[in-house]
């Protein structure tokens, strides 16, 4: 009778004839294999993220090279989902200004605009708009809202809308919503204040304005961030989460 050698694998764990030592060795081999697969998966993900980040930086470099205004400022951080790519299209490019539309694409070399992210505009032939006045020292007690970090805002309603407004440095920030939606603007305000405690918006020449407006029944806000630096007026327009908009504005350089 020919005897075949016994091969001990993970399957022996199912057999009552396997020794405790054999079971332990097999279990350990299985753990090592699973750990190795996890490491390989993490390395693949890291390599993919690094390649995507490099591609996104190249997009911004190409845009800067195309613009007629040298040393142009652009946002460098965008809410792009992992694995997707940043795309951009120059809408206007003159000696006095430029306008760039940024979008998210699922393909690196796609020529079709995907999900819109933001539009960033710079112009040297327009004056800064007049922003609403805000007296942070004299907020009526019944309208005062604590936004944290020693910052108080004013909450008021007018013409079917509710407004929350406050000031940080030379920036005026305002959130608007339809009163009938009963949106808690204080929640949004606190999130924005918390983010800005650790991140600085660009320093405006005089004043800057962050306008957040929620259309009726919508959870995505329409956002404009406007400021003037020297003789250039910058505008970042986007739709979505206010903190994501702040992150884009903070990244402008």
């Amino acid at each position: 009778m020919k005897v075949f050698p016994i091969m001990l694998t993970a399957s022996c764990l199912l057999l009552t004839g396997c020794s405790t030592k054999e079971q332990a060795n097999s279990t350990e081999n299985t753990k090592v294999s699973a750990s190795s697969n996890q490491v390989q998966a993490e390395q693949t993900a890291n390599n993919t993220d690094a390649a995507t980040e490099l591609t996104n930086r190249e997009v911004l470099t190409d845009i800067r090279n195309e613009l007629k205004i040298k040393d142009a400022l652009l946002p460098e951080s965008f809410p792009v989902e992992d694995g997707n790519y940043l795309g951009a299209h120059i809408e206007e490019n003159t000696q006095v200004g430029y306008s760039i539309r940024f979008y998210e694409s699922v393909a690196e070399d796609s020529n079709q605009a995907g999900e819109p992210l933001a539009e960033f505009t710079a112009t040297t032939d327009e004056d800064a708009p007049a922003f609403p006045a805000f007296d942070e020292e004299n907020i009526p007690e019944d309208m005062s809202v604590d936004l944290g970090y020693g910052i108080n805002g004013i909450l008021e309603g007018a013409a079917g809308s509710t407004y929350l407004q406050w000031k940080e440095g030379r920036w005026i920030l305002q959130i608007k919503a339809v009163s009938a939606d009963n949106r808690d603007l204080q929640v949004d305000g606190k999130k924005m204040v918390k983010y800005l405690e650790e991140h600085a918006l660009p320093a405006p020449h005089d004043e800057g304005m962050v306008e957040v407006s929620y259309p009726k029944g919508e959870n995505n806000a329409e956002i404009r961030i406007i400021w003037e630096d020297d003789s250039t007026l910058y505008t970042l327009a986007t739709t979505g989460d206010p903190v994501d908009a702040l992150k884009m504005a903070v990244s402008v350089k």
Side-chain angles (χ1 to χ4, degrees), residues 124-138:
T124 57
D125 61 353
E126 289 185 23
D127 295 327
F131 299 136
F134 182 75
D135 186 358
E136 56 196 308
E137 301 297 332
N138 295 291

Side-chain angles (χ1 to χ4, degrees), residues 143 154-164 174-180 185:
M143 295 181 178
I154 182 170
L155 184 66
E156 56 186 335
S161 296
T162 304
Y163 297 84
L164 173 61
Q174 177 181 279
I175 308 176
K176 173 187 174 183
V178 177
S179 299
L185 302 186

